[in-house]
Amino acid sequence: MPKILIDPESTSLDHRFAIVKTKRTDRARYPEGCVTVVADADAALAGAVAGAERGLHPAIVYGPSSSSEGQRLYYLVRWLA
C-alpha cells in the first residue's frame, strides 16, 4: 500500500468505507467515478458480494483528493476482502 500523507486539519479528506469498481486490484489510487462511498464495512462487503461479477471490491479508501491532472482521487488504504 502507498504511504499516504494524512492532513489532520482537513474537513473533506477522511478514511471512508467504499465499493471500488476495478479489474486491477494492484493500484494505489482510483478515480472518483470508480468509487462508491458507503456507510460502513458491512455495506461495503454486501455491495461487493452483490456485484462481484461486475468487478466490485470492498475497501477502505482515503480522500477525495485533487490530482495534478484535475481529477478527484481516492487512495486505497486496504481491501476488506
Side-chain angles (χ1 to χ4, degrees):
M1 296 299 138
K3 183 171 181 162
I4 302 169
L5 297 176
I6 306 296
D7 182 1
E9 296 180 13
S10 174
T11 58
S12 62
L13 298 173
D14 201 2
H15 287 88
R16 305 169 195 277
F17 293 102
I19 301 169
V20 180
K21 182 175 182 175
T22 184
K23 291 182 182 180
R24 292 181 51 191
T25 58
D26 61 339
R27 294 182 181 212
R29 58 189 193 161
Y30 293 90
E32 185 175 40
C34 297
V35 177
T36 302
V37 175
V38 295
D40 56 23
D42 291 334
L45 291 166
V49 167
E53 68 280 351
R54 295 180 296 159
L56 301 179
H57 304 277
I60 297 176
V61 296
Y62 182 76
S65 178
S66 296
S67 74
S68 60
E69 297 88 20
Q71 290 188 356
R72 290 170 48 99
L73 301 173
Y74 283 92
Y75 290 86
L76 177 67
V77 175
R78 70 180 176 92
W79 296 113
L80 294 177

